[in-house]
Amino acid sequence: MKILFINSVCGIGSTGRICTDLADTLTAHGHDCKIAFGRGNVPEKYKHYSIRIGSKTGVKFNALKARIFDNEGLNAKNATKKFIEWVKAWNPDIIHLHNLHGYYLNINLLFNYLKTCGKKILYTLHDCWTFTGHCAHFMYSKCDRWKFGCKNCPEKKAYPASLLKDNSMYNYLKKRDILCNVLNMTIITPSEWLANLVKQSYLLEYPVKVINNGIDLNVFKPTQSDFRSKYGLENKKVILGVASVWTDKKGFFDFLKLSRLLDDSYRIVLVGVNEKQKKVLPKNIIGITRTDTLTDLAGIYTAADVFVNLTYEDTYPTVNLEAQACGTPVITYATGGSVESVPSENVVPIGDIDSWIYKDFAKLHISPVQSKLEMLRQYEVIMNYD
């Protein structure tokens, strides 16, 4: 079979790596795969898969228009027309959609083609953008307008940010018209939480399959390191947080509040902070901008006593999986799909940062973690199912 993936990135970021992992597995089984993307650079080893939609300059121009007119997903007309002509010529058997937002694609033109092409369509949702009038997540603002019609968007300045116009009502109605009534389309979500939201949205007509994210258990496993000695943590209880970008929605401010509640027997380690954030951290928080390798990250997970996920919104965070695979228990806020990957007794109410501090972390339970290979196997089953 010929399988086309469409995603904002290829081979980088969590969604880009899911696409290349799937392409690697399917290619090894004799299938022909291509990954169409719009943003970033592609690692050398994945360039034979990649098809760029538009250009880097086009992405910047589309982002500017979205910031002014709040119309993400409705720009990039010329780039999308050229891409559709390429798709018709390549003639895939399956088209597997992932993140369609990212300033690189016109969903109206794409779905006009998908509604008439007669192909099997899979659509993996990694967030909520597909069924809202603007935002990718709405839990932080506690908004439910997406259920009946968006307007006066409280997340207007969140990604994909609009600095001027609020076009959420129009976007909602337009996306509903564009995304409904596609024949032979199955929606895939990484969590039951997101699947339940889909069933409450205008996408409820589609079958929904849940495939949890998986991780590479050959990398994320109990890993010895000199991390504790390097940072003087031999006699400390280490509370760890990891994020690709730290914001208040990811819990950065909550970690600062947590630091004021801890005695000197504790230390907080935050991986992924930027240089500006690192400068304002109190003495009992160790900030690390990045790790050199995933093995180094596994060593940090292993060295911690507990991994704490204070995110206010997330679909199915892989950091929970990575920590537990390294033998470290996870405490998480009761938010989104984060609760599905940890034991229920390790879930605390959103904003509750002090009820669990003096627990015996060694007695916390760890949930089993799905491997990347099992995730890919489940995808293969769906792709080959008629």
Side-chain angles (χ1 to χ4, degrees):
M1 286 191 302
K2 297 171 75 172
I3 302 164
L4 172 64
F5 299 91
I6 304 176
N7 188 48
S8 53
V9 293
C10 174
I12 59 174
S14 59
T15 62
R17 287 192 293 271
I18 287 173
C19 289
T20 48
D21 287 344
L22 283 167
D24 284 343
T25 301
L26 291 164
T27 299
H29 291 177
H31 301 293
D32 189 4
C33 297
K34 294 292 182 184
I35 302 172
F37 74 104
R39 301 183 56 153
N41 296 316
V42 181
E44 189 65 35
K45 62 181 177 179
Y46 299 124
K47 286 187 176 179
H48 64 288
Y49 290 138
S50 64
I51 300 294
R52 183 181 288 276
I53 301 172
S55 65
K56 294 181 179 180
T57 301
V59 167
K60 292 178 181 178
F61 185 54
N62 296 331
L64 176 61
K65 288 192 285 186
R67 280 168 169 75
I68 297 172
F69 301 111
D70 189 19
N71 62 353
E72 165 52 0
L74 301 175
N75 298 303
K77 290 182 179 179
N78 288 335
T80 305
K81 287 177 182 177
K82 291 179 181 178
F83 170 62
I84 291 171
E85 291 305 310
W86 177 88
V87 176
K88 290 177 180 177
W90 195 60
N91 195 26
D93 299 291
I94 296 175
I95 299 176
H96 190 170
L97 313 174
H98 285 263
N99 275 349
L100 301 184
H101 53 76
Y103 314 116
Y104 73 104
L105 195 63
N106 184 291
I107 61 169
N108 189 30
L109 294 174
L110 177 64
F111 274 81
N112 282 343
Y113 165 71
L114 295 178
K115 288 177 180 179
T116 60
C117 68
K119 310 294 184 183
K120 181 175 182 178
I121 311 296
L122 303 178
Y123 193 175
T124 295
L125 306 188
H126 300 281
D127 53 44
C128 306
W129 180 84
T130 307
F131 52 88
T132 74
H134 175 86
C135 66
H137 283 286
F138 41 72
M139 290 194 68
Y140 189 78
S141 57
K142 300 178 181 178
C143 178
D144 65 353
R145 293 176 177 90
W146 58 274
K147 292 182 179 180
F148 47 85
C150 293
K151 62 179 180 179
N152 302 324
C153 179
E155 294 286 335
K156 183 170 77 78
K157 294 185 178 181
Y159 172 84
S162 175
L163 303 180
L164 295 177
K165 190 174 181 180
D166 179 349
N167 206 34
S168 57
M169 180 183 290
Y170 174 82
N171 289 341
Y172 178 90
L173 296 173
K174 185 67 174 177
K175 287 163 77 173
R176 184 181 65 181
D177 179 61
I178 291 169
L179 298 167
C180 293
N181 302 313
V182 182
L183 297 176
N184 203 22
M185 186 165 88
T186 297
I187 290 178
I188 301 169
T189 67
S191 63
E192 294 288 351
W193 169 78
L194 186 53
N196 288 333
L197 295 186
V198 170
K199 293 170 186 176
Q200 298 176 61
S201 76
Y202 52 63
L203 301 175
L204 57 82
E205 68 183 90
Y206 297 113
V208 181
K209 305 287 186 180
V210 176
I211 300 179
N212 295 145
N213 293 333
I215 60 171
D216 189 342
L217 297 182
N218 292 317
V219 174
F220 292 102
K221 59 185 179 181
T223 304
Q224 295 300 313
S225 71
D226 63 351
F227 181 76
R228 279 184 171 265
S229 60
K230 180 179 178 180
Y231 288 94
L233 301 172
E234 293 93 336
N235 300 312
K236 303 296 183 181
K237 297 172 185 175
V238 178
I239 297 172
L240 176 64
V242 175
S244 56
V245 178
W246 280 104
T247 64
D248 286 349
K249 289 183 178 181
K250 282 294 183 184
F252 182 73
F253 185 67
D254 283 16
F255 271 109
L256 296 182
K257 291 193 291 184
L258 174 62
S259 70
R260 296 192 288 268
L261 301 174
L262 299 173
D263 61 41
D264 193 55
S265 65
Y266 292 82
R267 286 293 183 272
I268 297 172
V269 175
L270 294 183
V271 177
V273 294
N274 60 38
E275 292 295 342
K276 183 177 179 180
Q277 291 170 328
K278 193 173 180 179
K279 290 178 181 178
V280 302
L281 295 177
K283 291 182 179 180
N284 61 347
I285 299 184
I286 297 170
I288 299 172
T289 54
R290 55 170 295 178
T291 59
D292 292 329
T293 67
L294 292 179
T295 300
D296 292 337
L297 181 57
I300 297 174
Y301 279 126
T302 305
D305 292 286
V306 66
F307 179 83
V308 178
N309 193 343
L310 301 184
T311 184
Y312 279 71
E313 51 189 24
D314 214 322
T315 304
Y316 193 81
T318 55
V319 288
N320 290 0
L321 312 179
E322 293 168 354
Q324 291 179 109
C326 293
T328 300
V330 175
I331 291 175
T332 181
Y333 279 164
T335 182
S338 189
V339 303
E340 295 177 34
S341 60
V342 304
S344 58
E345 63 268 25
N346 295 9
V347 177
V348 298
I350 293 175
D352 183 353
I353 59 173
D354 58 2
S355 66
W356 50 267
I357 293 174
Y358 299 109
K359 283 187 175 182
D360 185 347
F361 298 145
K363 293 183 179 179
L364 293 175
H365 295 107
I366 294 174
S367 289
V369 174
Q370 175 164 277
S371 71
K372 181 172 67 175
L373 291 176
E374 175 58 23
M375 177 190 73
L376 298 176
R377 187 195 68 78
Q378 292 177 52
Y379 267 110
E380 276 196 285
V381 169
I382 292 178
M383 286 184 176
N384 287 293
Y385 176 73
D386 292 322

